[in-house]
Amino acid sequence: MLIKICKYNEFVIVVDIGVMTGAAIYIKRDLKVSDVQIEILLGIINLYSLIGSCVAGRTSDWLGRRYTIVFAGTIFFAGALLMGFSPNYSFLMFGRFVAGIGIGYALMIGPVYSAEVSPASYRGFLTSFTEVIFFC
């Protein structure tokens, strides 16, 4: 059960990419932004998640892995709310920043936690499962 929750937490990047790709058309129309701004909006999540993953290790040492996973989900949810209620492009980018931090946390802590709690016979499969799903 814990492994399932952990793996769902790692799929936030997939959900974010899927939702934002579909929403880009409406964001461009409603906020009247250029194609370059849309490209930056969609592509900057990788840089923001890098920041989150860099601080996730220290946070997990301080809070513990389980609470850091909850913290990552909370940060991503707050970012999703900020993006959903954004009235302009700047506020949307701020929400994207917050969501990116949460994604970085989730992508860093999820595999670590699943490796710690899984039995040795399934450890390799469970820790590499997300990467296989992402790239296949």
Side-chain angles (χ1 to χ4, degrees):
M1 179 67 174
L2 291 174
I3 300 294
K4 285 182 183 180
I5 292 170
C6 185
K7 292 301 170 187
Y8 288 138
N9 199 26
E10 293 176 32
F11 282 116
V12 295
I13 185 79
V14 175
V15 171
D16 181 73
I17 290 170
V19 168
M20 287 304 288
T21 302
I25 299 165
Y26 302 106
I27 291 170
K28 184 177 178 184
R29 184 188 67 198
D30 293 343
L31 298 181
K32 297 177 181 40
V33 295
S34 68
D35 288 334
V36 173
Q37 287 176 314
I38 290 293
E39 290 172 5
I40 291 171
L41 178 71
L42 296 178
I44 201 74
I45 198 72
N46 297 323
L47 181 64
Y48 292 156
S49 63
L50 176 68
I51 297 167
S53 64
C54 287
V55 296
R58 297 275 182 179
T59 307
S60 69
D61 289 341
W62 182 57
L63 289 177
R65 309 285 191 260
R66 190 177 306 171
Y67 291 120
T68 305
I69 289 173
V70 172
F71 186 60
T74 304
I75 292 172
F76 179 73
F77 183 70
L81 284 177
L82 289 171
M83 287 188 291
F85 291 115
S86 61
N88 56 26
Y89 183 75
S90 301
F91 199 77
L92 185 61
M93 283 297 284
F94 176 71
R96 196 83 169 139
F97 173 74
V98 174
I101 298 294
I103 288 171
Y105 266 87
L107 290 178
M108 176 68 179
I109 297 303
V112 172
Y113 184 70
S114 65
E116 288 178 352
V117 299
S118 62
S121 59
Y122 294 109
R123 191 169 294 143
F125 171 74
L126 291 174
T127 55
S128 62
F129 179 72
T130 308
E131 283 76 17
V132 171
I133 295 298
F134 284 164
F135 297 115
C136 288

